[in-house]
Amino acid sequence: NGKVGKVKEFDKVRGRYDVEVEGGVTLSLRPLNLTQQCAVKVAGLQSRPQLNGRAGTIASYDEQTGRYMVLVPDSGPALALQRRKCVFAPGVRVCLCELSNVWYNGQMARICAVDRDAERYTVQCQNG
């Protein structure tokens, strides 16, 4: 719904985040209903190669197009980037998807390391 809030805690039993939004209201939200506003590096753009390697901030995610809206300082309006064009840093929480081992798809994970050459992440899944 476009509201901005701050995560207070994660309830492992319910699998939900408690998020405080404007006015001091706390909502209990499933991870898939949140977009983490975190730093990314732009990678692999052919139309605007001068932006590759630049840092940006995730503003939102468009589920219909599968693109992140990324704000890159001094580059104009937000960029609509495919997931593979965003490099996340260790510590970022993600929902795994489109993996060949479908058992992992849909699981929450934390990025532990990034291998830029192989274009792969090492992650720790919520379920171990």
Side-chain angles (χ1 to χ4, degrees), residues 35 60-69 80-81 83:
T35 299
S60 63
Y61 180 72
D62 185 333
E63 198 169 326
Q64 291 181 341
T65 64
R67 292 175 182 255
Y68 286 106
M69 299 305 294
L81 298 179
R83 290 189 302 259

Side-chain angles (χ1 to χ4, degrees), residues 4-5 10 12-13 18-19 32 40 91 97 119 127-128:
V4 176
F10 181 72
K12 288 183 181 181
V13 174
D18 288 335
V19 180
L32 293 177
V40 296
C97 64
E119 297 182 345
N127 298 333

Side-chain angles (χ1 to χ4, degrees), residues 32-122:
L32 293 177
N33 292 337
L34 298 172
T35 299
Q36 186 177 186
Q37 294 182 329
C38 60
V40 296
K41 290 230 179 194
V42 177
L45 289 184
Q46 294 180 355
S47 62
R48 295 179 68 186
Q50 71 276 15
L51 296 177
N52 291 330
R54 297 269 312 270
T57 303
I58 299 288
S60 63
Y61 180 72
D62 185 333
E63 198 169 326
Q64 291 181 341
T65 64
R67 292 175 182 255
Y68 286 106
M69 299 305 294
V70 179
L71 300 170
V72 176
D74 302 320
S75 70
L79 305 170
L81 298 179
Q82 298 171 354
R83 290 189 302 259
R84 69 176 190 264
K85 304 292 183 183
C86 300
V87 179
F88 294 94
V92 171
R93 308 276 190 217
V94 295
C95 180
L96 303 177
C97 64
E98 299 179 13
L99 299 175
S100 56
N101 186 338
V102 296
W103 188 84
Y104 292 104
N105 290 331
Q107 287 193 38
M108 296 302 298
R110 180 180 57 84
I111 296 175
C112 298
V114 181
D115 184 337
R116 298 278 310 263
D117 294 330
E119 297 182 345
R120 294 190 180 270
Y121 294 102
T122 300

